Each structure stands twice: as C-alpha cells, then as structure tokens.
Amino acid sequence: MKKKSFGIFNVLYNGNFQVKSKAQTNFPDGWLPINGNHQTSWEFFIEPLEIPILEIKNLTGFRAGIIQTFEKSLDVRKDKDWQILMVLKSGMPEVQAYLRIYPIRSNGEVSKPWEFSFSPGLRQEQIKQVLSVGPEIQFLLIEIGVLGPGDIYIYKLIAYPLTPYRMKRRVTKVKKESQPIHHIQTIGEIIKPIHLAMPIPLKVPVTVQANVNADIRNLTSARDKVQIFGSSQAPLATSICGRAQVEISGHGFYESLEDVTADQTMSSTTTRDVSALLRFTFAVYNFGTYLAYVEARLSPDGVHWTGEGNRVEVGPGKLVIVMPEKFLRYARLSYGAEEQTMLRIWVQGQS
C-alpha cells in the first residue's frame, strides 16, 4: 500500500459518516459492526461543527471492524479500475489494520474476499489501495478494521474509479538511447553485442554434419519408464510398485451474505439455486432493537413458492439458525419485523 493525500469525488455511500443510521443506535447509516466480542467497543462521534469519527477499541486477538450493508455496497459495473482511499489513524504504535473487499457477482453470490493489511500512524493520514475488477463482478462490499488488540480512528472512506487519464499519468515513457539497425553490409566478427530492431534475413549457406545414434526397440519395465502428463503439466504420481496415487478431495464450501432492513412488510432474500449442495442452512442475526421473524421458503421452479417449517422469531442481538428439512431446487428466506430493524442473513452449504 502507498500513502498519499489528495481530494477526489467520493462515490462510496456515507463514506464520510455524515448520515446517522435510523435503524441502529449511534452508528453511521449503511455500516454495521463486525467481528470482535464483548470486550470490543465501537464509538461514533458526530457532533455539530466537528468531523465525524468512528473509533474501534479492541482488547482481544480477534479482528474487529465495520462493514457496509449489502444494499449500500459499491457499484462497479461501469468501471474496471478503482482506488480505495482511507483516512484514519491508530491509537497506539504498531497497530495492524486491515481492509477486506468482498466481490459480489450478478447472481448475488459473494466470493472470497481480497485482503490487505497496513500499519497506520499516530497522526491522521490517507492510505490508498488500487483495485481491478473483472466483468463478472458487479458490486464490492467493503470491510475495514483492526487486526488483534489495538485502537483505530476512522475519519473517512473514499472510493472512485480510475479514468484513463489518471491511469495514463502513472506511465513513464522510456527514452530512446540508440537508433535501431536495419541492415548489415558485411559479415565479420562482432566485437561488441548489438540489439536488432527486427530479424534481418541473411542468405548464408550452412552445412551441418552429425552422427545420430538411434535406439529403436521394445520398452521394458526394467530399464524404461513412461510419464503421463495432464493439463496442469504435472506427471501422474505412482507408488514404488507402480500403482497410481489418487488424491480424494473433500467437500466444497458455499457461502452467501446479505444485509437487509426488515419492517412490517414481509420481504424475501435473493433466490438461490441449491440443487448442487448436499446440505445448506440459513443463519440470521438481528442488529436492531425490535423483534424480527423469518421463514424458509422453497420452490421447484423459482416462481411458485411454499413455506418450509414454522416462522422463527429473531430477538434483538440474537442469532438463529433456519434449516429446511425438505428439498426443492430453489430456496430463499422471508423476513419481517415489528418495527424497522437491520438483519444479516447467511446462506452456507456443502457440495
């Protein structure tokens, strides 16, 4: 990571923490606390005529930070290259901070995060990270915090696309130090090595004489061996007695994360195709202060839906697990609440 300071237009929602959340008590809108435990504290200061500050004090060995809500994630569909700029400082020397970027695909699937770490100073500074996203990535979910024990103060988070003009400024032109050679008039001894701009055809007759010893016979296991290669350019492994060695892979893991706002109107999460999973489970955490309720729903075609199991209550600050007993190809979770409250919904499965 490189450290640099300059102003730029910010497309990250509430990256300056100016908007206060209505669903959470004393926290910026569009952001949620993540990880840590009962020894971790998140303090949000938003006083008039002062710059908003989010302070994280962590006394444990776990990471602790803040993460965007799913619905406020960064839209990267129009641009490939991005720069993330963080304005922060640490509360003590040698504190390790981290940045996690979760790529979100068009089907709502959250991929394995990109992770970066850095050491902020005791004075407020700007730290930047350049990213390049592929065409299959449509959104980025940003998480930032402290690794292990320590305090950090987050003042602002900025994200903006790198235009071709800004990328061009990073390129340094190479000066031409010599003229290319286009032809050779005579052939003789080359005293000093030279570099040719392009291949030069030379019509010089060449005679080659060599003795070739060929061994054409049947192969035997006593003196010969054969290697079989796959697409990875690695030979097939065998034991001493010639048996093929096969590695049996374990279960694959699937995970999807979604942050939603529940209210008196019943809503549903993104529809998931779970036909390739041996098992899957929903987990729901209530970040708010009001009671919420959820229900698993299944469908054979993604159009016609039925409830699976009973409606489950999710109290404030509680985590519940919803595991459908029956199977259909498509699954989703319906949710509602007495009053507006924030929910985080995981879908985890094994294939």
Side-chain angles (χ1 to χ4, degrees):
M1 282 196 174
K2 296 182 179 180
K3 302 179 180 180
K4 195 174 181 180
S5 299
F6 52 85
I8 198 69
F9 178 70
N10 189 9
V11 298
L12 187 68
Y13 174 76
N14 202 22
N16 55 5
F17 307 140
Q18 294 286 349
V19 183
K20 194 174 182 179
S21 175
K22 297 180 181 179
Q24 296 186 88
T25 303
N26 195 29
F27 217 76
D29 189 46
W31 297 90
L32 295 170
I34 189 171
N35 297 318
N37 61 11
H38 65 281
Q39 294 181 296
T40 308
S41 64
W42 289 262
E43 296 290 340
F44 180 49
F45 306 97
I46 181 170
E47 301 294 337
L49 304 179
E50 292 185 7
I51 300 176
I53 304 173
L54 185 59
E55 178 187 7
I56 304 175
K57 290 186 176 182
N58 191 29
L59 300 179
T60 71
F62 304 100
R63 71 171 72 230
I66 59 173
I67 189 172
Q68 287 180 294
T69 59
F70 196 87
E71 55 196 11
K72 298 299 183 182
S73 54
L74 179 63
D75 189 344
V76 295
R77 288 174 289 184
K78 295 182 180 180
D79 298 280
K80 176 183 177 182
D81 299 304
W82 288 80
Q83 182 157 275
I84 308 298
L85 214 150
M86 300 151 282
V87 182
L88 40 78
K89 73 174 183 179
S90 63
M92 58 184 67
E94 299 182 359
V95 170
Q96 284 292 316
Y98 73 91
L99 173 68
R100 273 189 168 188
I101 308 293
Y102 296 84
I104 305 176
R105 302 178 182 272
S106 57
N107 60 356
E109 180 181 348
V110 181
S111 302
K112 183 178 180 181
W114 308 327
E115 298 193 26
F116 310 93
S117 61
F118 46 92
S119 299
L122 298 177
R123 295 183 179 181
Q124 180 180 334
E125 61 182 332
Q126 292 185 346
I127 302 176
K128 69 177 184 178
Q129 178 64 45
V130 177
L131 305 172
S132 293
V133 298
E136 72 280 3
I137 305 301
Q138 296 198 350
F139 297 90
L140 296 178
L141 197 65
I142 296 177
E143 175 188 342
I144 185 173
V146 59
L147 284 170
D151 304 347
I152 65 168
Y153 300 82
I154 307 174
Y155 295 88
K156 186 182 298 184
L157 300 174
I158 300 173
Y160 62 90
L162 291 173
T163 62
Y165 172 73
R166 293 196 183 98
M167 295 297 291
K168 185 177 180 181
R169 291 190 303 176
R170 300 172 178 269
V171 179
T172 304
K173 294 184 177 179
V174 179
K175 297 182 180 180
K176 295 183 179 180
E177 298 180 353
S178 60
Q179 296 296 327
I181 298 174
H182 297 287
H183 66 279
I184 297 177
Q185 294 180 349
T186 59
I187 299 177
E189 182 182 3
I190 298 177
I191 305 301
K192 184 178 180 181
I194 59 175
H195 298 280
L196 305 181
M198 64 184 67
I200 301 175
L202 299 176
K203 297 181 180 181
V204 179
V206 177
T207 301
V208 178
Q209 294 181 352
N211 295 324
V212 178
N213 295 322
D215 185 7
I216 302 175
R217 57 180 175 76
N218 294 329
L219 300 178
T220 62
S221 59
R223 63 177 294 181
D224 303 304
K225 65 178 181 179
V226 176
Q227 284 188 324
I228 302 175
F229 290 83
S231 58
S232 61
Q233 303 300 319
L236 179 67
T238 60
S239 63
I240 298 177
C241 59
R243 299 182 183 273
Q245 296 179 345
V246 180
E247 180 180 352
I248 301 176
S249 61
H251 291 292
F253 178 72
Y254 170 86
E255 181 180 34
S256 179
L257 174 68
E258 194 168 344
D259 291 323
V260 298
T261 301
D263 52 27
Q264 297 176 350
T265 303
M266 290 297 294
S267 304
S268 297
T269 61
T270 303
T271 299
R272 311 291 182 190
D273 184 349
V274 295
S275 59
L277 301 178
L278 298 176
R279 68 179 75 179
F280 70 95
T281 305
F282 292 99
V284 185
Y285 184 82
N286 188 347
F287 280 98
T289 56
Y290 295 97
L291 179 68
Y293 37 86
V294 295
E295 180 185 13
R297 299 184 67 82
L298 302 177
S299 170
D301 55 5
V303 178
H304 303 90
W305 294 88
T306 182
E308 161 59 14
N310 299 323
R311 180 177 292 185
V312 181
E313 293 184 351
V314 188
K318 299 295 183 181
L319 176 71
V320 300
I321 296 175
V322 181
M323 180 182 294
E325 296 181 359
K326 299 181 177 62
F327 173 80
L328 286 175
R329 179 175 181 179
Y330 298 97
R332 68 186 184 187
L333 200 70
S334 296
Y335 57 88
E338 296 177 342
E339 297 290 342
Q340 191 178 77
T341 187
M342 298 291 297
L343 301 178
R344 174 167 295 169
I345 301 173
W346 291 269
V347 183
Q348 295 185 350
Q350 285 184 335
S351 59

